[in-house]
Amino acid sequence: MKRHLTLLLLLLHVSIVIPTLVAAHGGEKHGAKTAKNQRSTVSATSTNTSRDSSAQTVSPEEHAGHLQEPATLHATPEDFPNKHPLIVHFPIVLLLVAAAVSLANVLFLRKELDWIVTVSAFVGAATAFYATKFAHPHTAGLTDHAQAVLAQHDLYADWTVYLGIAGLLAQAVSQFLLKGKRWTVLAAALILAGAAYAVAMAGHYGAQLVHIEGVGPQGRYLETEHHD
């Protein structure tokens, strides 16, 4: 039993960490930038820092009040220009967990693991649907390159929803109708693995939009949900 538990934890770790590392590095080799490119990057960063340093989100009086009462630093959902970043991390985590546990359950065929997969897939697919269809930010004034990145982000976000729902249905059929036959567990696991890949890619392009294209921070390029 201990050996099985250790194997399960190892599979979970590998299934979650490796896709995250791949998405984070984007297949690039370290040290590939030339000295000229590095100097340009440093120069651009310095310029951006100087330009943005004056862009304060609160007044000095508000800042002083926050220092006196640290609890007031906590932003409310209404303070965000869009609810997307508050929701989107749930499907990223839960669909990865659902895929990893489902793949492990191909070996173990345990009812407890079935329930973990079902609940994770349900909440993951539901929050992916909400983040994509109801909390998707509307943009304005994007560059052509940022628009191309956004298109890729939306493509993988849509596939996350499709595969997440398909994986949930396959998992439900496997667990409740066919009583966890190995081939049905495998089928659900493969679909959920596809959903995990899709959400990892959507997250990668989302991070690229925020940290490289500058879409989102302090509401830049976003049509806010606040109305007068």
Side-chain angles (χ1 to χ4, degrees):
M1 182 64 185
K2 290 184 179 179
R3 185 176 62 182
H4 289 170
L5 181 58
T6 301
L7 178 59
L8 174 59
L9 293 174
L10 179 61
L11 287 171
L12 282 172
H13 178 76
V14 171
S15 299
I16 294 175
V17 171
I18 288 181
T20 304
L21 292 176
V22 171
H25 287 278
E28 296 179 359
K29 295 182 179 180
H30 292 288
K33 289 186 176 181
T34 64
K36 181 179 179 180
N37 288 337
Q38 289 175 341
R39 288 194 298 271
S40 299
T41 300
V42 171
S43 176
T45 301
S46 301
T47 302
N48 291 336
T49 301
S50 300
R51 183 177 65 247
D52 295 340
S53 61
S54 60
Q56 298 293 332
T57 58
V58 297
S59 67
E61 292 77 13
E62 289 174 320
H63 177 61
H66 290 164
L67 292 179
Q68 291 179 355
E69 297 183 42
T72 61
L73 282 170
H74 185 83
T76 66
E78 289 71 25
D79 292 326
F80 289 83
N82 186 270
K83 303 300 187 296
H84 187 78
L86 301 177
I87 303 297
V88 74
H89 297 92
F90 289 97
I92 292 174
V93 172
L94 292 172
L95 289 176
L96 288 172
V97 168
V101 176
S102 186
L103 288 169
N105 204 30
V106 175
L107 299 176
F108 301 115
L109 298 179
R110 299 291 298 272
K111 292 182 179 180
E112 297 87 349
L113 298 183
D114 256 340
W115 277 110
I116 294 175
V117 174
T118 300
V119 173
S120 298
F122 174 77
V123 180
T127 51
F129 181 82
Y130 182 84
T132 302
K133 305 303 179 183
F134 297 103
H136 191 284
H138 297 285
T139 58
L142 295 182
T143 64
D144 290 341
H145 189 265
Q147 190 64 53
V149 176
L150 177 61
Q152 288 297 303
H153 171 72
D154 288 347
L155 173 65
Y156 281 104
D158 286 338
W159 274 108
T160 297
V161 174
Y162 302 148
L163 292 173
I165 293 175
L168 173 62
L169 293 176
Q171 170 63 18
V173 169
S174 173
Q175 182 176 1
F176 300 114
L177 296 182
L178 300 179
K179 305 301 180 183
K181 296 182 182 299
R182 195 179 300 274
W183 70 269
T184 63
V185 174
L186 176 60
L190 292 177
I191 298 174
L192 288 171
Y197 175 78
V199 76
M201 291 299 293
H204 176 85
Y205 283 112
Q208 186 174 341
L209 281 170
V210 172
H211 298 289
I212 298 178
E213 304 298 335
V215 179
Q218 297 184 347
R220 292 188 182 94
Y221 303 108
L222 297 184
E223 296 177 3
T224 66
E225 296 175 351
H226 301 157
H227 300 284
D228 296 331

